[in-house]
Amino acid sequence: MALATGTRTLTMAQAISEAIGQEMERDPSVFVMGEDIGKYGGIFSATGGLLDRFGPERIMDTPISESAFIGAATGAAAEGMRPIAELMFVDFFGVCMDQIYNHLAKNTYMSGGRVRLPVVLMTAIGGGYNDAAQHSQCLYATFAHMPGLKIVVPSNAYDAKGLMVSAIRDDNPVFYFFHKGIMGLPWMAYFEGSTTPVPEQPYAVPFGEARVAREGGDVTVVAVSQMVQKAVLAAEEAAKEGISAEVIDLRTLVPLDAESVARSVDKTGRLLVADEDYLNFGLTGEIAALVGERLGSIKLKAPIKRLGVPGTPIPYSRPLEQATIPQVGHLVEAMRGLMTTSVA
Amino acid sequence: MALATGTRTLTMAQAISEAIGQEMERDPSVFVMGEDIGKYGGIFSATGGLLDRFGPERIMDTPISESAFIGAATGAAAEGMRPIAELMFVDFFGVCMDQIYNHLAKNTYMSGGRVRLPVVLMTAIGGGYNDAAQHSQCLYATFAHMPGLKIVVPSNAYDAKGLMVSAIRDDNPVFYFFHKGIMGLPWMAYFEGSTTPVPEQPYAVPFGEARVAREGGDVTVVAVSQMVQKAVLAAEEAAKEGISAEVIDLRTLVPLDAESVARSVDKTGRLLVADEDYLNFGLTGEIAALVGERLGSIKLKAPIKRLGVPGTPIPYSRPLEQATIPQVGHLVEAMRGLMTTSVA
Amino acid sequence: MEPTAEQLLWMYETMQVIREYEEVMAKVYLEGKLPPHIQKGLAFDIGSGPVPGEMHLAAGQEPVAVGVCAHLRKEDTVVGTHRPHHFAIAKGVPLKEMTAEIFGRATGLGRGKGGHMHLFDAEHKFSCSGIVGASLPPAVGAALAARKLGKDWVAVAFFGDGAANQGTFHESLNLAALWKLPVVFVCEDNKWAISVAKGMSTAIASNADRSTAYGIPGVRVEKNDAVEVFEVGGEAVARARRGDGPSLIEVKTDRYFGHFQGDAELYRPKGEVEELRRNDPIPALAAHLRARGLLDEAGDAAIRARVQRVVTEAYEFARSSPYPESAEAAQHVFV
Amino acid sequence: MEPTAEQLLWMYETMQVIREYEEVMAKVYLEGKLPPHIQKGLAFDIGSGPVPGEMHLAAGQEPVAVGVCAHLRKEDTVVGTHRPHHFAIAKGVPLKEMTAEIFGRATGLGRGKGGHMHLFDAEHKFSCSGIVGASLPPAVGAALAARKLGKDWVAVAFFGDGAANQGTFHESLNLAALWKLPVVFVCEDNKWAISVAKGMSTAIASNADRSTAYGIPGVRVEKNDAVEVFEVGGEAVARARRGDGPSLIEVKTDRYFGHFQGDAELYRPKGEVEELRRNDPIPALAAHLRARGLLDEAGDAAIRARVQRVVTEAYEFARSSPYPESAEAAQHVFV
Ligand SMILES: Cc1ncc(C[n+]2csc(CCOP(=O)(O)OP(=O)(O)O)c2C)c(N)n1
Ligand SMILES: Cc1ncc(C[n+]2csc(CCOP(=O)(O)OP(=O)(O)O)c2C)c(N)n1
Ligand SMILES: [Mg+2]
Ligand SMILES: [Mg+2]
């Protein structure tokens, strides 16, 4: 997938900050606002090194006033700037949601397309390090549910850079979600698969094109973000038992590449949607429904299976968290289940 | 469904305010906070007449500070009070979402069940009168997606009273959504079916029990709130064409009565989920997925169909709004479609 | 800062346009919404008639809009509220396209998608929102952009006395003060937030006093008077334009209609509106103009005729414009 | 308001408990998180070791907690922050169950479900939140409940200098002032919000001055000193208990550790912490006690021994407690 020339291996955090830095060089209207994005370089290093290169007028630490600075991003974008705003954890969206979804997401539509809002919101998602109910959520489905934001959920460094470039160049608001557990930080366990070769040159990964992360013929596993890495590991486990799993990495939820999902399920006849967001009324339901709507042409061999955080806040205690967030073992088990059940 | 004794016909607004008034009489710890709920009686009359009966210490008009007063409801509930807080339109949740979903919804869990938060949040939902993108949404799926709140979505006055009684008596936070277009207000068109006989005595309608709003054998239509009224009208239309539709009114989304849905679809083999909330990543997907997961026993005759607000904010102009929000005609058309397609 | 003759006359005529516009709207809005045009059983039907949705009118509140906007250029940004017509008119938003938008027509500012509470005019740099308190953050952002672009543009956020208790008020004033941005925050104190009187919602009498929490100037204008607003607004705009940072202004003003059309106003003391109307700022400004020899009968008549014409034309344009096609509903989510 | 001997000694011993608790935690937290115990390639692993999640320590910030809580009864409510241990200890939350919670054990306050930032003790009326600015609204609600219940209970919201720029600050102070509720709002100014210094986030020097925006008393305590906090806190609590409404206090205090454990503190001027530690409030209070003849070597040694014991026992209790069963994850979403 990576271009052959000039690649090095980068972590996802490095890939993101490289994309931002390159776009800032290319386009003086790009700037970044957020908490601790300056000297600290972002709590999850998405803006590492940028303050030194671009100075405090373009890498702006803000007060803990998310409504004000995210609303300010909307206001500045309407004047032709291209702000990037970091919401430190997605879990904090509740203090600024009105500015996000009633304004940033809707003003373009309400203006009949006459107001352009090229804003990138970026935020950290996910659990796995026991940060409890207010610091471990994914929540991207909530933003995919409400119209007006493009939703980007990379699973690896190559995509992370290319999708960030696309996000910054897009004339629409883009919400970009990076999972802490694949950023490749020196202080948190991460999945090796997320650290990949990344070309030095800027490149764009287009929105709305899912990636086949692993080919297979028996089961389709649909996932995003860190769950893609878990799915690939699970597929390798399952392969030992003779189950051949195809892993689809959606990469973006809005736009959503429904056809890639349908194509794969049409081939395998079995669908597992594995997600780290809440199970109910979210991504897993949407993907299942896309298949349910296509049963005129798709022939399922087994009932659909879904995995997600099942209707509870994320617990703090390690064994509870591990039981709540789908793990590689849960995915393998679900694949086994798919091979042993059949439709009526 | 209504008890035989002492029933009169009430609008949904009257039924709600009656339930609140009766519970306030029964229990001195119940009180109401919100904007314009006092002299005005609530913009949608959910608290009509209560200020005169209970005075300003129990019917409290607030500043336009939703985070403060909804957070205060949480704080007061932790001390043993049973607050009811009105968020005037659900569309405003973005200014107070953190207090709702990170605190009210999670504190019970995070305390290991040791903090009880008997709070009723109530709010107005829905479009149909051209109030545009910031005043017409449903959004209940968002709150059903995130754990910790019971989600109540009545479709008629009888249920509205009984579910409000249950909500107030519940020791957990309950989010209660009333659709403006079924409240029976003298200034807005409403669906006749939502104004029903309502017993004078307080009674509880339990959570998690769907209601068969209309029996039928060919198609299952799953809906909530105003869409139930539309579905019943659509079913009557469809009956003229020989299509027999069963309408399931979920009544609550959390807890969700999946079994009633499954039972009906098992009978009809055809599912239409019709919703006024956004189509993607929401209620329609969840219901479709519930069936998709049960295809080991359920045999579908046709691919699943979904209707909802399709990925756009709600437009203002009347013809655009009518085209965007599913109408009776759209439901009839979808039922016809279900009868003419079949599974692979 | 004294207004010039030209500024005085501009304020006078603009106030007339606003007033005429709102008074016509007050009636037009009710067309088709009252019996016998509507469903049996309803007293009023918000979902019928030529004008969709809710309707918040600003008659009586003209001084705050014209007194501030008199100092603005086309490149300056104004963000208004759910009650936006007076601000939009004072900022120079074209009346025809604005009215067409309010009628939900394809020729409207937002092709009929936004409506009365969501008027967007990128050329005249006007926008507004139906969410209370939402005007402040984007104005801060516009001011930030001006600084980044090296321009001396100013941004104005208007908001109501009710909005002054939203969290965005605090966050936005702090951010603008901290970054010394060219923003003028203008609170319209019309005493009411729907049915809740300011004294029932606000712990202190004057929101202008809240400026001390941010170390910026705060001035309250005690009279619903265009010239007084002009003076205070002029200081604040000049200060912002000079690069000396934001200011907070609160203007006492009067709401002549209900919160929205159809509001029975049961919460409002009897006779309050009649009392307020006795201090109508438009005749007051006329008298001032006459005293300064800037207006006579003939001049006044000419103004009125112009105002009538421009308002009438706007409504005619709106009424005769087509509705958008249904298929357009799916467009413009993204550009 | 002068502290009694008993109060002085209580503050002294409680500060010792807090300090000891935090210093032990600083070390225990790192257990298993450093090479060679962790994955190859990592310098530190937040997800390993006996203590889950993030860890925000309050060593150095003892005076604000004890100076205010010295005036509180068991029925009074305290809402703390993401950095909650000092408040919890000062409010009387049992150390064993609190520590077990922080270790994620079944015997913890929240059966291991809440953790370090989410300590709930309904009996001692303590709670906290990991969301900045979230402590204020529920404290307003607790005060409202007290009034409705006819009690003279007081509620205290603690929050940081960073939190003072959240919208909830404004909304909560206005609401409490408007309704004259028995709340004391206490801002801990430790100068930092993670890496952002107060001067980079706050438009004015003292958050106490923001009280004028709500018409309530506002006092800044300039010294990280328990007795000074006691005096100012005493006034505010008494005022609230009398029914005279809320107050705002800002206390200058010092954060000795990083924002969280593992913070490299690259943003912090070299030597800042050493400088701050030179004005350690615990020896200062000891000196005060000695000067007043309330403490001698033996007394001090006895206190230290008690402190050591109670802290050690808490950690031992936590370590020896079982983890919750996996099946419990699904419980307690609802009661
Ligand atoms: C966040 C939010 N809360 C509540 C409302 C409902 N609402 C619309 S206008 C209004 C009153 C606003 O009062 P004020 O700010 O004084 O403006 P005015 O109507 O007096 O012009 C309210 C409560 C809203 N639109 N947004
Ligand atoms: C709404 C919200 N925004 C951001 C954060 C991330 N965060 C956690 S603590 C903190 C700094 C808080 O500073 P302050 O209020 O001064 O408290 P201190 O850490 O100094 O005790 C930040 C930004 C958060 N938890 N909540
Ligand atoms: Mg007002
Ligand atoms: Mg701090």
Side-chain angles (χ1 to χ4, degrees):
Chain A
M1 190 94 349
L3 303 181
T5 61
T7 59
R8 318 117 308 155
T9 291
L10 294 190
T11 65
M12 219 169 90
Q14 290 165 336
I16 292 170
S17 68
E18 180 168 285
I20 296 173
Q22 289 176 340
E23 291 303 299
M24 285 183 72
E25 261 162 19
R26 214 176 65 92
D27 183 346
S29 62
V30 178
F31 70 101
V32 192
M33 285 188 281
E35 292 151 21
D36 306 287
I37 62 150
K39 272 206 188 130
Y40 206 107
I43 296 298
F44 303 102
S45 299
T47 55
L50 298 180
L51 177 68
D52 286 347
R53 276 167 69 197
F54 298 101
E57 279 294 316
R58 292 185 72 193
I59 301 292
M60 308 181 80
D61 272 331
T62 65
I64 310 174
S65 305
E66 288 87 354
S67 286
F69 78 77
I70 290 174
T74 303
E79 304 285 328
M81 302 300 295
R82 302 184 85 84
I84 301 173
E86 179 169 284
L87 177 65
M88 191 187 290
F89 288 68
V90 73
D91 312 69
F92 309 157
F93 84 93
V95 302
C96 53
M97 184 59 171
D98 183 67
Q99 286 298 322
I100 297 174
Y101 98 105
N102 260 335
H103 298 91
L104 179 59
K106 291 178 185 163
N107 285 2
T108 296
Y109 187 77
M110 295 194 297
S111 71
R114 285 173 178 137
V115 169
R116 273 162 202 257
L117 297 173
V119 173
V120 181
L121 262 183
M122 63 179 182
T123 196
I125 62 172
Y129 63 103
N130 326 117
D131 216 2
Q134 295 177 339
H135 289 75
S136 303
Q137 298 165 100
C138 286
L139 297 178
Y140 33 69
T142 300
F143 297 92
H145 174 61
M146 294 180 207
L149 300 171
K150 299 193 179 176
I151 303 298
V152 177
V153 204
S155 70
N156 64 77
Y158 177 85
D159 286 354
K161 178 171 176 181
L163 291 167
M164 179 54 85
V165 167
S166 294
I168 296 171
R169 294 182 189 173
D170 202 296
D171 275 345
N172 296 286
V174 176
F175 206 166
Y176 185 106
F177 299 77
F178 51 78
H179 194 296
K180 294 162 248 175
I182 49 177
M183 287 291 268
L185 303 170
W187 51 277
M188 190 184 296
Y190 58 95
F191 284 77
E192 293 292 337
S194 57
T195 297
T196 68
V198 174
E200 277 173 42
Q201 293 306 313
Y203 59 94
V205 169
F207 293 169
E209 294 188 11
R211 181 177 71 94
V212 179
R214 185 185 192 281
E215 292 198 18
D218 293 330
V219 176
T220 298
V221 186
V222 176
V224 296
S225 190
Q226 194 194 57
M227 196 57 73
V228 173
Q229 302 298 339
K230 289 184 180 172
V232 169
L233 295 180
E236 281 159 23
E237 279 296 309
K240 295 180 196 155
E241 304 177 18
I243 304 173
S244 164
E246 177 148 300
V247 178
I248 306 284
D249 177 357
L250 295 171
R251 298 207 283 201
T252 63
L253 299 184
V254 178
L256 180 65
D257 185 357
E259 289 322 307
S260 288
V261 174
R263 205 178 308 121
S264 179
V265 180
D266 199 33
K267 176 172 75 175
T268 62
R270 296 184 188 87
L271 172 65
L272 168 64
V273 198
D275 193 20
E276 195 182 317
D277 200 348
Y278 296 116
L279 177 65
N280 304 322
F281 299 86
L283 171 65
T284 63
E286 183 64 20
I287 301 301
L290 290 177
V291 171
E293 289 174 321
R294 285 165 175 75
L295 291 177
S297 57
I298 295 175
K299 247 187 114 56
L300 282 181
K301 295 175 185 151
I304 293 167
K305 269 206 185 292
R306 305 192 283 161
L307 288 175
V309 172
T312 74
I314 315 268
Y316 169 78
S317 184
R318 200 168 293 138
L320 299 186
E321 193 205 30
Q322 292 289 309
T324 300
I325 296 177
Q327 309 295 344
V328 173
H330 297 123
L331 270 74
V332 176
E333 204 184 297
M335 291 185 213
R336 271 187 217 123
L338 276 169
M339 298 306 292
T340 54
T341 52
S342 54
V343 293
Chain B
M1 193 93 348
L3 303 182
T5 61
T7 59
R8 317 117 310 157
T9 292
L10 294 190
T11 65
M12 220 170 90
Q14 291 165 336
I16 292 170
S17 67
E18 180 168 286
I20 296 172
Q22 289 176 341
E23 291 303 299
M24 286 183 72
E25 260 161 20
R26 213 176 66 91
D27 183 346
S29 63
V30 178
F31 69 102
V32 191
M33 284 189 281
E35 292 152 19
D36 306 288
I37 62 150
K39 272 207 188 127
Y40 206 106
I43 297 297
F44 303 102
S45 300
T47 54
L50 298 180
L51 176 68
D52 286 346
R53 276 168 68 197
F54 298 102
E57 280 292 316
R58 292 185 72 193
I59 301 293
M60 308 182 80
D61 272 331
T62 65
I64 310 174
S65 305
E66 287 87 354
S67 285
F69 78 77
I70 291 175
T74 303
E79 303 286 328
M81 301 299 296
R82 302 184 85 85
I84 301 173
E86 179 170 284
L87 177 64
M88 192 188 289
F89 288 68
V90 74
D91 311 68
F92 310 157
F93 84 92
V95 302
C96 52
M97 185 58 171
D98 183 67
Q99 286 298 322
I100 297 174
Y101 98 104
N102 260 335
H103 298 91
L104 179 59
K106 291 179 184 162
N107 285 4
T108 296
Y109 187 78
M110 294 193 298
S111 71
R114 285 170 179 142
V115 170
R116 274 163 201 255
L117 297 173
V119 173
V120 181
L121 263 182
M122 63 179 181
T123 196
I125 62 171
Y129 63 104
N130 325 117
D131 217 3
Q134 294 176 341
H135 288 75
S136 304
Q137 297 165 101
C138 285
L139 297 179
Y140 34 69
T142 300
F143 297 92
H145 174 60
M146 294 180 206
L149 299 172
K150 299 194 179 176
I151 303 299
V152 177
V153 204
S155 69
N156 64 76
Y158 177 86
D159 285 353
K161 178 171 174 180
L163 290 166
M164 179 54 85
V165 167
S166 294
I168 297 171
R169 295 182 188 172
D170 202 297
D171 275 346
N172 296 287
V174 176
F175 206 166
Y176 184 105
F177 298 77
F178 52 79
H179 195 296
K180 294 161 248 175
I182 48 176
M183 288 290 268
L185 303 170
W187 51 277
M188 189 183 296
Y190 58 94
F191 285 76
E192 292 293 336
S194 57
T195 298
T196 68
V198 174
E200 277 174 42
Q201 293 306 315
Y203 58 94
V205 169
F207 294 168
E209 294 188 11
R211 180 178 71 96
V212 179
R214 185 187 193 279
E215 292 200 16
D218 293 328
V219 176
T220 298
V221 186
V222 175
V224 296
S225 190
Q226 194 195 55
M227 196 57 74
V228 173
Q229 302 299 339
K230 289 184 180 172
V232 168
L233 295 179
E236 279 160 24
E237 279 296 308
K240 294 180 197 156
E241 304 176 17
I243 303 172
S244 164
E246 177 148 301
V247 178
I248 307 283
D249 177 355
L250 295 171
R251 298 205 284 201
T252 64
L253 298 184
V254 178
L256 180 65
D257 185 357
E259 289 322 307
S260 288
V261 174
R263 204 178 310 120
S264 178
V265 180
D266 199 33
K267 176 172 75 174
T268 63
R270 296 185 189 87
L271 172 65
L272 168 64
V273 199
D275 193 20
E276 195 182 318
D277 200 349
Y278 296 116
L279 177 65
N280 304 322
F281 300 87
L283 171 65
T284 63
E286 183 64 20
I287 301 301
L290 290 177
V291 171
E293 288 174 322
R294 285 165 176 74
L295 291 176
S297 57
I298 295 176
K299 245 185 119 55
L300 283 181
K301 295 175 184 152
I304 292 168
K305 269 205 185 294
R306 304 192 284 160
L307 288 175
V309 172
T312 74
I314 315 269
Y316 170 75
S317 184
R318 201 168 294 138
L320 299 185
E321 195 207 30
Q322 292 290 307
T324 300
I325 297 177
Q327 308 296 341
V328 172
H330 298 123
L331 271 73
V332 176
E333 205 183 296
M335 290 184 212
R336 271 186 218 122
L338 277 170
M339 297 305 292
T340 54
T341 52
S342 55
V343 294
Chain C
M1 198 174 288
E2 286 266 305
T4 63
E6 198 191 353
Q7 288 170 321
L8 282 169
L9 285 164
W10 177 85
M11 291 199 291
Y12 181 60
E13 184 160 339
T14 306
M15 285 170 70
Q16 293 265 14
V17 173
I18 295 169
R19 179 65 57 87
E20 177 69 13
Y21 191 84
E22 298 293 66
E23 283 180 347
V24 172
M25 185 61 83
K27 292 189 207 100
V28 169
Y29 180 73
L30 297 179
E31 280 176 26
K33 289 192 169 62
L34 297 175
H37 297 280
I38 58 169
Q39 300 192 45
K40 216 174 52 147
L42 293 193
F44 170 83
D45 183 4
I46 188 174
S48 306
V51 182
E54 296 176 50
M55 180 51 60
H56 311 84
L57 298 174
Q61 303 186 187
E62 298 86 358
V64 55
V66 300
V68 173
C69 293
H71 301 283
L72 301 183
R73 308 177 191 152
K74 197 174 166 189
E75 312 83 56
D76 295 327
T77 290
V78 166
V79 190
T81 67
H82 60 285
R83 191 183 304 288
H85 303 167
H86 55 325
F87 305 129
I89 292 170
K91 185 63 186 25
V93 173
L95 217 55
K96 286 182 177 172
E97 287 76 9
M98 169 173 140
T99 312
E101 183 62 24
I102 296 170
F103 276 66
R105 306 299 168 115
T107 53
L109 290 171
R111 304 181 214 260
K113 288 189 161 137
H116 152 70
M117 289 189 273
H118 313 108
L119 304 169
F120 292 86
D121 181 346
E123 190 189 339
H124 298 89
K125 295 177 94 171
F126 180 81
S127 65
C128 54
S129 166
I131 303 298
V132 168
S135 62
L136 294 89
V140 173
L144 178 63
R147 186 161 74 200
K148 288 189 181 294
L149 296 166
K151 307 290 188 183
D152 68 347
W153 304 339
V154 167
V156 178
F158 289 103
F159 55 95
D161 52 295
N165 296 315
Q166 265 288 331
T168 50
F169 170 92
H170 179 62
E171 295 190 7
S172 303
L173 268 81
N174 181 63
L175 192 61
L178 180 75
W179 289 351
K180 238 182 158 189
L181 295 174
V183 194
V184 182
F185 297 101
V186 184
C187 181
E188 280 192 297
D189 175 10
N190 63 5
K191 190 179 124 181
W192 294 103
I194 310 187
S195 71
V196 179
K198 191 187 186 190
M200 297 285 289
S201 72
T202 310
I204 61 171
S206 166
N207 281 303
D209 293 344
R210 292 180 162 176
S211 64
T212 55
Y214 316 102
I216 61 173
V219 181
R220 177 165 162 97
V221 179
E222 278 297 350
K223 206 172 150 210
N224 192 27
D225 180 275
V227 176
E228 295 207 10
V229 177
F230 180 93
E231 285 166 7
V232 171
E235 292 295 336
V237 172
R239 183 185 164 84
R241 219 182 282 292
R242 279 198 308 271
D244 287 345
S247 310
L248 173 61
I249 298 171
E250 180 169 79
V251 180
K252 184 220 171 304
T253 190
D254 299 323
R255 194 188 85 199
Y256 289 173
F257 288 108
H259 172 71
F260 33 45
Q261 280 299 81
D263 178 358
E265 296 188 75
L266 300 177
Y267 53 85
R268 215 164 179 183
K270 246 207 164 95
E272 182 182 282
V273 175
E274 293 65 33
E275 184 68 34
L276 298 177
R277 280 194 187 258
R278 240 172 267 144
N279 296 307
D280 191 325
I282 297 183
L285 187 55
H288 181 85
L289 284 163
R290 284 215 187 82
R292 292 202 31 196
L294 295 170
L295 191 73
D296 56 15
E297 259 326 308
D300 208 1
I303 288 173
R304 273 167 218 255
R306 266 204 306 275
V307 166
Q308 282 276 350
R309 198 182 57 243
V310 70
V311 171
T312 305
E313 282 173 8
Y315 281 94
E316 277 170 6
F317 176 80
R319 278 189 202 271
S320 62
S321 289
Y323 283 102
E325 299 292 324
S326 297
E328 288 179 41
Q331 295 167 8
H332 308 125
V333 179
F334 297 116
V335 292
Chain D
M1 199 176 285
E2 287 266 304
T4 63
E6 197 191 354
Q7 288 170 322
L8 282 168
L9 285 164
W10 178 85
M11 291 199 292
Y12 181 63
E13 183 158 341
T14 306
M15 285 171 70
Q16 294 264 16
V17 173
I18 295 169
R19 179 66 56 87
E20 177 69 13
Y21 192 83
E22 298 294 66
E23 284 180 345
V24 172
M25 185 61 82
K27 293 189 206 101
V28 168
Y29 180 73
L30 298 178
E31 279 177 24
K33 290 192 170 59
L34 297 174
H37 298 280
I38 58 169
Q39 299 191 45
K40 213 174 54 145
L42 294 191
F44 171 83
D45 182 4
I46 188 173
S48 306
V51 182
E54 296 175 50
M55 180 51 60
H56 310 84
L57 297 174
Q61 304 185 186
E62 298 86 357
V64 55
V66 300
V68 173
C69 293
H71 302 283
L72 301 182
R73 310 177 190 151
K74 195 172 168 192
E75 312 83 57
D76 296 327
T77 290
V78 166
V79 190
T81 66
H82 59 285
R83 192 182 304 288
H85 303 167
H86 55 325
F87 305 129
I89 292 171
K91 186 62 185 33
V93 172
L95 218 55
K96 286 182 177 172
E97 286 76 10
M98 168 173 140
T99 311
E101 183 62 24
I102 295 170
F103 276 65
R105 307 300 168 115
T107 52
L109 290 170
R111 306 178 145 106
K113 288 190 162 135
H116 151 70
M117 290 189 272
H118 313 109
L119 305 169
F120 291 86
D121 181 345
E123 189 189 340
H124 299 87
K125 294 177 97 174
F126 179 81
S127 66
C128 54
S129 166
I131 303 297
V132 168
S135 62
L136 293 88
V140 173
L144 178 63
R147 188 163 72 199
K148 287 189 182 296
L149 296 167
K151 306 289 188 182
D152 68 346
W153 303 340
V154 168
V156 178
F158 289 102
F159 55 96
D161 52 296
N165 297 314
Q166 265 288 330
T168 48
F169 170 91
H170 180 61
E171 295 190 7
S172 303
L173 268 80
N174 181 62
L175 192 61
L178 180 75
W179 289 350
K180 238 183 158 187
L181 295 174
V183 193
V184 182
F185 296 101
V186 184
C187 181
E188 280 193 297
D189 175 10
N190 63 6
K191 191 180 126 183
W192 294 103
I194 311 187
S195 71
V196 179
K198 191 186 185 191
M200 297 285 288
S201 72
T202 310
I204 61 172
S206 166
N207 281 304
D209 294 343
R210 293 182 161 174
S211 65
T212 56
Y214 316 101
I216 61 173
V219 181
R220 177 165 163 98
V221 179
E222 279 296 351
K223 206 172 150 208
N224 192 26
D225 181 274
V227 177
E228 295 207 10
V229 176
F230 180 93
E231 285 166 9
V232 171
E235 292 295 336
V237 171
R239 182 184 165 82
R241 218 181 284 292
R242 279 199 307 271
D244 288 344
S247 311
L248 173 62
I249 298 170
E250 180 169 79
V251 180
K252 185 220 171 305
T253 189
D254 299 323
R255 195 188 86 198
Y256 289 172
F257 287 108
H259 171 72
F260 33 44
Q261 281 298 80
D263 179 358
E265 296 188 76
L266 300 177
Y267 53 85
R268 213 163 181 183
K270 247 207 161 96
E272 183 182 284
V273 174
E274 294 65 33
E275 184 67 35
L276 298 177
R277 280 194 187 261
R278 240 172 268 144
N279 297 306
D280 191 325
I282 297 181
L285 187 56
H288 181 86
L289 284 163
R290 284 216 186 81
R292 293 206 26 199
L294 296 170
L295 191 73
D296 55 17
E297 260 328 307
D300 209 1
I303 288 173
R304 272 166 217 255
R306 266 204 306 275
V307 166
Q308 283 277 352
R309 197 181 58 243
V310 70
V311 171
T312 306
E313 282 174 6
Y315 281 94
E316 277 170 5
F317 176 78
R319 279 189 201 273
S320 63
S321 288
Y323 283 103
E325 299 293 324
S326 298
E328 288 179 42
Q331 295 167 7
H332 308 124
V333 180
F334 297 115
V335 292

